Amino acid sequence: NAGVTQTPKFQVLKTGQSMTLQCAQDMNHNSMYWYRQDPGMGLRLIYYSASEGTTDKGEVPNGYNVSRLNKREFSLRLESAAPSQTSVYFCASSEIVGSYEQYFGPGTRLTVT
Amino acid sequence: GDSVTQMEGPVTLSEEAFLTINCTYTATGYPSLFWYVQYPGEGLQLLLKATKADDKGSNKGFEATYRKETTSFHLEKGSVQVSDSAVYFCADFSSGSARQLTFGSGTQLTVLP
């Protein structure tokens, strides 16, 4: 079992460029999440998907879009990257929405210049 | 909204020293409380949990007791090892409308041999 995988591990973008962060889980979990981690601020929820076909905003959704492609995959898209989106992004999954036992991927370190 | 406040780091200890990382929460009612750990280059992992007042969560020699009267969930370990070097996050989960984990800002622990 790979658990939760994320690609890429690192990315540098220029302001205004777009990119998609990929996430996949092989635990047959229903719910998936995207967080960002900034120094001194812990993790903040961007978007989540309670089940295949549904997505909802979290605490900091502005500037992002998500797609729940199927039960395994949940992608995060930055349409026009800004320096304020420089962060480490984590994908997570859980058996059901609202479950506190979430399983995290290794993260994507994104720098926007 | 809810918030979780934890002791700022970084914390540097010698091997076999006693560890305490303080954590307090503001959620009303009886949230579930957690400690997650992030080893270098990896995603977060659930370390321990407590779901009701006076519960003690424990794992890998770490302990934390849910204190409702002081709204605290401090992490302790009697004798740290170099392999415990990581970032530790306190989190709570409220079953209110948000139904999501709220994380503290994280505490970096370095254990020196």
Side-chain angles (χ1 to χ4, degrees):
Chain A
N1 271 358
V4 179
T5 56
Q6 294 182 234
T7 55
K9 288 194 183 335
F10 301 94
Q11 183 71 48
V12 179
L13 292 178
K14 295 189 188 311
T15 297
Q17 288 185 319
S18 62
M19 79 161 295
T20 299
L21 281 63
Q22 306 286 355
C23 174
Q25 53 91 10
D26 62 2
M27 295 172 282
N28 202 36
H29 284 168
N30 290 298
S31 304
M32 298 183 74
Y33 311 81
W34 277 105
Y35 292 89
R36 59 178 288 172
Q37 182 183 26
D38 300 298
M41 298 190 73
L43 276 73
R44 292 181 292 168
L45 184 65
I46 304 171
Y47 270 94
Y48 67 99
S49 170
S51 60
E52 188 178 350
T54 69
T55 61
D56 285 287
K57 295 178 181 179
E59 184 185 351
V60 288
N62 290 347
Y64 305 95
N65 286 301
V66 290
S67 296
R68 183 74 182 267
L69 305 168
N70 48 55
K71 192 170 186 180
R72 291 188 64 246
E73 298 172 288
F74 188 38
S75 62
L76 178 73
R77 182 159 178 85
L78 287 70
E79 289 292 351
S80 179
S84 60
Q85 294 177 305
T86 293
S87 188
V88 181
Y89 291 86
F90 288 99
C91 178
S93 70
S94 65
E95 198 170 330
I96 57 170
V97 69
S99 169
Y100 53 72
E101 190 140 12
Q102 297 182 12
Y103 296 80
F104 285 78
T108 295
R109 186 173 292 276
L110 174 67
T111 302
V112 183
T113 60
Chain B
D2 297 347
S3 66
V4 175
T5 302
Q6 64 182 99
M7 168 178 165
E8 288 198 20
V11 174
T12 303
L13 296 173
S14 297
E15 209 164 21
E16 300 183 2
F18 184 85
L19 168 71
T20 300
I21 301 178
N22 291 340
C23 171
T24 57
Y25 64 92
T26 63
T28 56
Y30 292 87
S32 297
L33 303 173
F34 314 94
W35 279 98
Y36 275 80
V37 59
Q38 183 181 25
Y39 297 105
E42 299 183 11
L44 280 71
Q45 305 172 23
L46 181 63
L47 178 61
L48 54 83
K49 65 180 187 285
T51 56
K52 60 183 189 294
D54 300 324
D55 265 4
K56 178 184 283 189
S58 61
N59 186 24
K60 299 183 180 181
F62 290 89
E63 293 183 339
T65 301
Y66 188 143
R67 301 282 188 206
K68 178 66 176 170
E69 63 276 14
T70 54
T71 61
S72 66
F73 192 55
H74 305 323
L75 183 69
E76 296 182 335
K77 186 173 186 183
S79 176
V80 293
Q81 305 299 313
V82 172
S83 57
D84 293 327
S85 298
V87 182
Y88 292 83
F89 292 90
C90 187
D92 76 7
F93 176 80
S94 174
S95 58
S97 59
R99 292 197 301 165
Q100 63 186 51
L101 285 168
T102 300
F103 287 90
S105 57
T107 301
Q108 171 79 55
L109 170 67
T110 301
V111 180
L112 302 176

